[in-house]
Amino acid sequence: MKSPEQEAATREAERHGCCCRRCKLRWELYFALGLDIIILVVGAPPLGQANSPVPYRVWLGFYLFAVVLPSICAFTYALYTAGGASGWPRLF
């Protein structure tokens, strides 16, 4: 019987590779995480600018805190999960 890690590697090899078969899934997750962090860093300053229109600031704030921030959390959790262990790094 295969271990869970072997089974996961087999399934990934069968189903993964929509754009590049040489790219590992972990690399794609790191890329998506980095892209989300860049969006958050670049998108946050206009929230504090008084000369931006209010509807734009509301929309941008909603996008950053309801879409980008949860995405960052999900990618971070997925990248730091090893087997059945908790995904978040131990602080204590």
Side-chain angles (χ1 to χ4, degrees):
M1 188 162 147
K2 291 183 178 180
S3 71
E5 290 83 13
Q6 292 172 335
E7 183 68 28
T10 303
R11 288 182 183 179
E12 181 183 349
E14 291 173 357
R15 293 179 181 89
H16 182 66
C18 60
C19 61
C20 177
R21 290 206 175 269
R22 295 179 302 169
C23 297
K24 293 184 179 181
L25 181 60
R26 185 167 291 275
W27 296 353
E28 293 180 16
L29 291 175
Y30 276 121
F31 178 78
L33 176 63
L35 186 62
D36 280 343
I37 290 172
I38 289 170
I39 290 170
L40 184 65
V41 168
V42 171
L47 289 177
Q49 293 177 353
N51 60 353
S52 298
V54 174
Y56 171 72
R57 286 188 290 167
V58 169
W59 175 84
L60 186 61
F62 176 79
Y63 177 72
L64 291 177
F65 294 112
V67 177
V68 175
L69 196 59
S71 176
I72 289 172
C73 292
F75 284 131
T76 303
Y77 184 81
L79 285 167
Y80 285 104
T81 299
S86 173
W88 301 110
R90 302 283 184 207
L91 298 177
F92 302 104

